[in-house]
Amino acid sequence: MPIQLDRKIEPVRLEVLDIRNNSSVTIDQLFDKALEKAQTGTKFSSTKATNFVWVVGPHGVGKTTLLKMMVNKILKHEFLPDTEYIFFINVKDIDFNKEMTLLEFLTTNSRVKVNYTEEESKALITFLHNNPNVAIFFDGLDEASTKEFAMISHVCKLDGKSKPVNIMKNLFNFTLLPKAKIVVTSTPGLMYKLHPDYRPTSIFEVLGLLEEAKKNLGTQLCGEKYPAIKKILDQHPNLARLCDLPINFILIVFCLLSNEGSDIKTITQVLIVSMTRFVESSHLKGEVPLDKVGAEMVKLAHLAYKGLQQRKLVFEKTDFDDVELDKSFGLRIKILEGNKRSYFTHHTWHEFYAAVYLMLFVSCPEFEQLKSTFKDTQWSVVIKFMFGICNPHAYNQLKLIFPATMIKDYEEKKKLMESMMMVSMMMESMMMELMMSMMMQLLDCSEDLIQRFGWLHEYNDDETSRKFEDYLPVELYMWVPKHLHEVGDLVYALKSFTKPHKLALHSNRTTTEVLESLLRGIHGTTTTITELNIYGIVMKDSLMESLLLHLEAMERLWFGDVTNLSSYMESLSNAINQRSNKIQLGLMKHKLNDDDVMYLAGCLGNISLLDMRDTNISSEHCSVLKQAIEQLPSIQVHQLYPDILSTYLNVARNWLHWE
């Protein structure tokens, strides 16, 4: 849908994080950071380490925008200035069943027909093979229509034909084009499903809009009204957590500007509000009856659905003709204004219209046949919107826009969606129960669990939440989500539950904002955080305050490589002393100073297990702990570092099997 602005919008910063050291980076630094890693040890000293970077993030966070910015900066000689050849490949456009040459593969997305003779093609590929000034961008590897990336590949010949998946794997391990610079984007989980031979050593994550960027963009969109909009967002965390994705932020801000949206809980609701405002506004040319508008928008939804089926984002005249959509009808939508090729103003709208078509206008038999295709990651956002349309209020709003007489089998499809959610949840529950002793594999399930929480959140229905909860185990083990909108999904689910659950949370280099939002969101629900493992984060006042809200119920609290923890050892020690029972405490990869040791010694009486693996402590401080430990023989010290301290303290050396 168009958003009319009376001013030019300047770009704002999308936050990009170096996952290895939890530091913020700019586009210009990506390959420099890769080089730094390669120089830190021999195991990274390879072309793969310096020339291959991976950018991850959820759908809609800005990964494609980031790649396009890189290409634009290359063309302006502001990034990789020596680059002579650029190949930009949309993975969804690749035909993975067709064998092709390397040159044919690299020009997959070329709008220009490549007509080289066989000799010319061989000469060009030979030239590219040892050229360090080649840059290849792969956008959306999770949209590949193949599952073969987990398998090892044979070596491709430089001038031969191979399937695209093998060409890509040979590029990723630099068997082909060994000096090229390669950037790949995908959702976070996909990378770890690759065979180890093809994984990068440099991984960066697009976090989306942080507060400063939101303020900048919000001020540009709203002018002097933004402080009032910001106040509403602060008062409605359910909305604020959706705003890390740029498109969500823009749409939500415009809802609030029109005095709508403060009670919104899902992005489906935001899109329906925007769509409703569109059909009732001057975006229509002249006086067009709403029923005719709705009929044309059904065709637009059909176009969106067919586009996703055919992995097509850009439409030509024949595509409009296929769905009998008349561009001159009177709808003032950008996609209808292109002369030769056109597309939805944002992929989110494309996915939303596809969801509308599936839930409202596809017959139930056809819908059932499509269920297997929904497992493809390209449908993940569409599926989420489909659950949003299952919400009765959302459905009633859509019936005011689209002709009710054209709607088919809605209730039957809604039951199928509910069944899909519950069966998936039942499988997750069984996996948890079967793998309680296999922690890392168990935690790998949490990404799928968070996805199902997202479905539940978008559905936004109390009765469905009750049913969903019945399939959950009492004890949940999860990684902390990486993004605020995922935190919103988890918090929504936990707030809707009525039964007590125990939650073990494991945070690995997430942002302080995300972890704090999650801890505050869970507080006051029927869910108890019994275990919290925090690794690679900067401790701040607000985060420690959020953590202490849950300390009394915790059975285990682990800190690993937490920056600035010393500033909070006193408050942590006091809180541990005030507990009604003992806690297991881990302080790993820290250097304890005088005050830290005194605070730790002061609360040992309420610690049942202390793990100080890879933590530095002086012999003088060791003596202080020795005296405290000798007075409390019941405490278990699993390990102190260096090893000699275990002997000095005369305590048993037991190993805690947790990494």
Side-chain angles (χ1 to χ4, degrees):
M1 291 296 155
I3 293 175
Q4 302 296 330
L5 300 175
D6 58 3
R7 63 182 71 87
K8 181 181 178 182
I9 297 297
E10 298 295 331
V12 299
R13 177 183 171 88
L14 283 174
E15 193 71 14
V16 180
L17 195 71
D18 185 339
I19 289 180
R20 300 296 187 191
N21 58 24
N22 210 34
S23 62
S24 181
V25 298
T26 64
I27 288 176
D28 300 339
Q29 297 173 323
L30 291 181
F31 285 102
D32 292 338
K33 291 293 182 180
L35 179 61
E36 286 178 18
K37 292 183 180 65
Q39 294 172 339
T40 59
T42 55
K43 66 177 180 178
F44 293 129
S45 55
S46 68
T47 304
K48 178 179 176 181
T50 57
N51 286 4
F52 186 20
V53 301
W54 202 288
V55 179
V56 300
H59 293 285
V61 78
K63 301 185 296 296
T64 299
T65 300
L66 184 72
L67 288 194
K68 290 179 178 178
M69 290 174 67
M70 287 186 195
V71 172
N72 189 47
K73 288 173 76 70
I74 289 175
L75 294 174
K76 292 180 178 179
H77 304 288
E78 297 172 353
F79 175 58
L80 303 178
D82 296 327
T83 301
E84 298 173 349
Y85 296 89
I86 304 171
F87 300 98
F88 193 103
I89 300 171
N90 288 314
V91 177
K92 64 179 174 297
D93 292 338
I94 298 172
D95 182 351
F96 281 90
N97 296 314
K98 178 183 177 182
E99 289 198 344
M100 57 185 72
T101 65
L102 176 58
L103 187 59
E104 288 171 335
F105 173 80
L106 292 174
T107 56
T108 292
N109 291 123
S110 175
R111 296 291 180 191
V112 180
K113 191 71 175 177
V114 179
N115 289 314
Y116 294 117
T117 66
E118 185 176 347
E119 291 75 16
E120 289 171 333
S121 296
K122 286 182 179 180
L124 181 55
I125 284 299
T126 301
F127 174 73
L128 293 175
H129 181 63
N130 290 305
N131 193 328
N133 299 320
V134 175
I136 309 173
F137 299 89
F138 291 95
D139 189 27
L141 193 69
D142 46 299
E143 296 188 50
S145 56
T146 178
K147 305 297 181 185
E148 296 181 36
F149 284 102
M151 298 181 284
I152 198 164
S153 173
H154 68 270
V155 175
C156 295
K157 293 182 180 180
L158 193 62
D159 59 352
K161 284 194 172 187
S162 299
K163 284 191 173 182
V165 66
N166 292 320
I167 295 175
M168 291 172 74
K169 287 189 282 191
N170 277 254
L171 287 169
F172 292 170
N173 67 7
F174 289 87
T175 302
L176 294 174
L177 307 192
K179 296 182 180 180
K181 299 283 196 303
I182 296 177
V183 184
V184 180
T185 70
S186 76
T187 51
L190 185 279
M191 189 194 67
Y192 298 103
K193 296 176 183 176
L194 263 67
H195 188 281
D197 288 357
Y198 313 116
R199 292 181 193 168
T201 56
S202 295
I203 310 163
F204 304 89
E205 181 159 18
V206 183
L207 299 179
L209 299 174
L210 297 190
E211 282 307 314
E212 190 60 34
K214 291 175 190 174
K215 179 180 178 181
N216 185 336
L217 181 57
T219 301
Q220 292 188 68
L221 294 172
C222 310
E224 61 184 18
K225 294 181 180 179
Y226 182 67
I229 299 297
K230 176 65 166 60
K231 185 176 181 180
I232 296 174
L233 289 173
D234 290 341
Q235 294 169 347
H236 296 84
N238 54 300
L239 278 180
R241 293 189 187 103
L242 294 170
C243 288
D244 56 334
L245 301 186
I247 184 63
N248 289 2
F249 179 79
I250 292 169
L251 290 170
I252 288 169
V253 163
F254 273 88
C255 279
L256 296 176
L257 272 175
S258 61
N259 297 317
E260 299 178 80
S262 61
D263 60 342
I264 283 174
K265 294 182 180 178
T266 73
I267 195 62
T268 301
Q269 292 174 318
V270 172
L271 293 170
I272 292 175
V273 167
S274 298
M275 184 184 286
T276 302
R277 196 166 63 245
F278 165 74
V279 299
E280 295 174 349
S281 73
S282 59
H283 286 117
L284 303 177
K285 294 176 181 175
E287 295 296 328
V288 183
L290 281 180
D291 59 336
K292 291 187 177 181
V293 171
E296 289 300 303
M297 291 180 70
V298 172
K299 297 175 185 177
L300 188 61
H302 192 188
L303 180 75
Y305 166 64
K306 289 191 69 173
L308 285 183
Q309 265 196 322
Q310 299 167 9
R311 309 181 85 85
K312 180 186 292 187
L313 298 182
V314 179
F315 303 99
E316 299 179 7
K317 182 180 183 302
T318 54
D319 298 307
F320 291 92
D321 292 341
D322 286 345
V323 296
E324 300 178 350
L325 179 57
D326 182 5
K327 281 191 171 187
S328 63
F329 171 74
L331 290 177
R332 293 185 60 198
I333 302 178
K334 281 288 185 181
I335 191 171
L336 301 179
E337 296 175 3
N339 292 325
K340 293 184 178 180
R341 291 187 292 267
S342 54
Y343 47 87
F344 286 91
T345 52
H346 194 280
H347 193 44
T348 292
W349 280 112
H350 190 157
E351 292 168 316
F352 179 66
Y353 269 98
V356 168
Y357 189 77
L358 282 163
M359 285 305 299
L360 300 189
F361 308 115
V362 167
S363 68
C364 194
E366 183 181 353
F367 189 88
E368 289 200 71
Q369 291 177 355
L370 291 167
K371 283 175 66 177
S372 60
T373 67
F374 293 158
K375 297 177 182 178
D376 192 314
T377 55
Q378 75 153 337
W379 294 96
S380 60
V381 177
V382 177
I383 296 297
K384 194 169 183 178
F385 288 146
M386 288 166 68
F387 277 105
I389 296 169
C390 287
N391 177 276
H393 181 63
Y395 173 60
N396 288 331
Q397 287 179 295
L398 288 173
K399 283 199 300 183
L400 298 176
I401 299 172
F402 297 94
T405 55
M406 299 180 68
I407 295 175
K408 299 177 184 176
D409 304 336
Y410 170 77
E411 292 296 335
E412 291 85 347
K413 288 180 286 187
K414 178 177 172 181
K415 289 177 182 176
L416 287 172
M417 294 294 290
E418 290 177 355
S419 173
M420 186 170 79
M421 181 194 295
M422 302 310 169
V423 170
S424 299
M425 194 61 256
M426 183 169 63
M427 292 175 66
E428 291 292 334
S429 177
M430 291 171 62
M431 289 286 285
M432 286 188 173
E433 292 176 2
L434 287 171
M435 297 195 302
M436 280 296 183
S437 61
M438 303 168 66
M439 183 62 70
M440 292 310 292
Q441 292 185 45
L442 179 64
L443 292 174
D444 285 341
C445 297
S446 66
E447 184 179 339
D448 289 334
L449 187 58
I450 290 172
Q451 181 186 51
R452 279 140 182 84
F453 285 151
W455 294 352
L456 185 70
H457 185 186
E458 211 65 30
Y459 199 137
N460 190 28
D461 178 72
D462 291 340
E463 182 180 349
T464 306
S465 294
R466 300 290 94 76
K467 294 177 184 177
F468 182 88
E469 183 182 12
D470 289 339
Y471 286 97
L472 275 177
V474 173
E475 296 186 16
L476 302 172
Y477 291 78
M478 297 184 64
W479 289 111
V480 170
K482 287 285 187 180
H483 298 269
L484 280 175
H485 67 276
E486 295 172 327
V487 169
D489 294 337
L490 179 53
V491 168
Y492 170 85
L494 298 181
K495 283 189 173 181
S496 69
F497 293 165
T498 58
K499 301 174 184 176
H501 292 275
K502 293 182 178 180
L503 178 61
L505 277 175
H506 307 272
S507 173
N508 187 8
R509 300 193 183 281
T510 188
T511 65
T512 304
E513 182 184 22
V514 164
L515 182 55
E516 179 189 339
S517 179
L518 179 59
L519 294 176
R520 290 197 181 277
I522 295 174
H523 182 62
T525 69
T526 59
T527 300
T528 301
I529 299 177
T530 55
E531 182 175 330
L532 180 59
N533 298 274
I534 303 176
Y535 182 80
I537 201 170
V538 178
M539 185 57 66
K540 298 180 180 178
D541 291 354
S542 56
L543 178 56
M544 180 55 73
E545 290 170 5
S546 304
L547 186 157
L548 294 181
L549 293 173
H550 299 272
L551 188 68
E552 174 62 28
M554 285 185 199
E555 300 168 3
R556 173 187 171 101
L557 176 60
W558 244 241
F559 296 101
D561 194 23
V562 174
T563 304
N564 200 34
L565 185 60
S566 287
S567 301
Y568 302 95
M569 283 298 293
E570 181 178 10
S571 58
L572 180 62
S573 173
N574 291 337
I576 290 174
N577 271 328
Q578 292 170 14
R579 283 172 52 95
S580 58
N581 54 3
K582 296 184 179 182
I583 190 172
Q584 297 180 8
L585 181 66
L587 298 170
M588 295 178 288
K589 293 189 177 181
H590 292 97
K591 182 175 182 180
L592 301 186
N593 60 35
D594 295 2
D595 291 338
D596 294 340
V597 173
M598 294 302 297
Y599 294 136
L600 180 59
C603 67
L604 284 175
N606 242 4
I607 297 176
S608 61
L609 180 150
L610 178 62
D611 189 335
M612 297 176 66
R613 194 179 321 179
D614 297 329
T615 287
N616 289 307
I617 181 172
S618 69
S619 57
E620 179 183 351
H621 294 154
C622 191
S623 178
V624 172
L625 286 182
K626 178 185 178 182
Q627 294 176 18
I629 290 172
E630 286 176 342
Q631 296 173 19
L632 302 162
S634 64
I635 193 171
Q636 306 168 54
V637 180
H638 275 231
Q639 187 183 17
L640 297 176
Y641 178 85
D643 287 342
I644 191 173
L645 295 181
S646 294
T647 303
Y648 182 81
L649 287 173
N650 194 28
V651 295
R653 289 186 60 200
N654 302 310
W655 287 86
L656 181 63
H657 297 291
W658 175 261
E659 294 296 339

